[in-house]
Amino acid sequence: MRVPFIAGNWKMNMTVAEAVTFVNEVKDGLDAVSGMESAFCVPAIALPSVAAALSRSSVFVGAQNMANNESGAYTGEISPVMIKPFADYVILGHSERREYYGETDALVNEKAKLALAHSIKPIIACGESLAQNQAGETQAFVSGQIRAALDGISTADMLKIVIAYEPIWAIGTGLSATVEQAGGIIKTAVRDTLADLYGNDVAQQIRIQYGGSVKPHNIADYMSHPDIDGALVGGASLKPDFVELVANGVTA
Ligand code: PGA
């Protein structure tokens, strides 16, 4: 039985003060939802304050990125050792990291292994561009991203990983993928690839989120697909009705 999981990805939004005010406003509402795990993946500078504000809450805390080293001469980077006291999860390989900061599959793989070594659970993001989608390359591309990101990761570690499938053309655009599109790729490009790598038993235990313009009004549709186990939510996680979104995601 996979416990569904909806994670908010705030991206580069909210000051520390705004972050604390916001989580204090929504935490009771989120705690009242049963049958769904939720998390906020917040800017690194807000991790200590948000973790403190959520210390008595069931809502998990995540980072949005981390360095591929533990310490040293890496100006501007933040290491897994630094985020560990505050973060349960870390998003790795988000398409914005890949596009604007040149993150490769190999780097995502390195970071995933390091996060796991520090008991931080990776949310590994994958997804194709509009051009790849239109060229019919989605299946091969996403499956390739998954294989590369998971290279050398043991079954025991795999069981701690969450995969987020986010078609790039659906992120922040209001152009959400249809349930059939998203569920189809999640099944054939993600879960079947996991089954190929780790066996079907393991693949059936891995949580796979959909991401891309998920809102309170469409989450239930996604959750109705048997292979979609939650969502990675950008814009809609910055608003108080994120509580409604999470509640609407609970399937009967
Ligand atoms: P969005 O972002 O919900 O604003 O489309 C999703 C994401 O990038 O994780």
Side-chain angles (χ1 to χ4, degrees):
M1 263 299 281
R2 304 187 294 263
V3 179
F5 177 35
I6 295 180
N9 170 17
W10 286 358
K11 310 192 180 185
M12 196 173 71
N13 293 292
M14 301 247 203
T15 63
V16 174
E18 287 166 347
V20 170
T21 302
F22 180 77
V23 296
N24 281 331
E25 190 181 336
V26 296
K27 65 182 180 185
D28 290 348
L30 291 170
D31 282 336
V33 179
S34 55
M36 176 69 76
E37 264 185 33
S38 61
F40 286 117
C41 298
V42 307
I45 196 168
L47 280 170
S49 313
V50 169
L54 294 175
S55 61
R56 287 168 207 279
S57 159
S58 60
V59 181
F60 291 97
V61 178
Q64 300 173 7
N65 179 35
M66 56 165 236
N68 57 330
N69 291 285
E70 289 175 351
S71 66
Y74 302 100
T75 302
E77 289 294 307
I78 297 174
S79 99
V81 179
M82 296 169 187
I83 66 173
K84 170 62 194 164
F86 315 109
D88 308 288
Y89 289 95
V90 60
I91 301 171
L92 296 176
H94 189 281
S95 60
E96 288 150 16
R97 300 290 323 163
R98 296 178 191 257
E99 185 181 346
Y100 306 138
Y101 303 97
E103 293 205 1
T104 61
D105 286 334
L107 184 65
V108 173
N109 175 248
E110 220 182 294
K111 290 185 178 188
K113 287 175 178 161
L114 195 59
L116 290 159
H118 289 277
S119 302
I120 305 165
K121 295 180 193 140
I123 301 173
I124 298 179
C126 60
E128 83 288 359
S129 67
L130 184 59
Q132 288 168 321
N133 186 281
Q134 288 173 341
E137 294 165 6
T138 301
Q139 171 81 26
F141 181 74
V142 172
S143 173
Q145 281 185 315
I146 296 294
R147 285 176 193 277
L150 300 176
D151 186 44
I153 289 177
S154 70
T155 297
D157 276 342
M158 182 65 229
L159 289 166
K160 298 169 192 151
I161 294 176
V162 175
I163 306 285
Y165 167 63
E166 304 198 297
I168 296 170
W169 48 270
I171 296 177
T173 58
L175 276 181
S176 48
T178 66
V179 176
E180 292 70 33
Q181 277 175 313
I185 293 300
I186 282 175
K187 166 75 173 76
T188 58
V190 184
R191 202 174 304 281
D192 289 354
T193 300
L194 295 176
D196 193 38
L197 293 171
Y198 295 94
N200 193 45
D201 267 12
V202 173
Q204 290 304 325
Q205 295 175 61
I206 307 301
R207 296 185 294 183
I208 308 173
Q209 300 171 322
Y210 165 73
S213 299
V214 175
K215 308 287 175 204
H217 72 84
N218 63 15
I219 182 68
D221 287 346
Y222 291 112
M223 296 306 294
S224 70
H225 191 285
D227 281 292
I228 300 181
D229 306 313
L232 187 55
V233 180
S237 70
L238 295 161
K239 302 189 187 127
D241 65 2
F242 182 65
V243 175
E244 189 189 328
L245 190 160
V246 171
N248 290 352
V250 178
T251 46

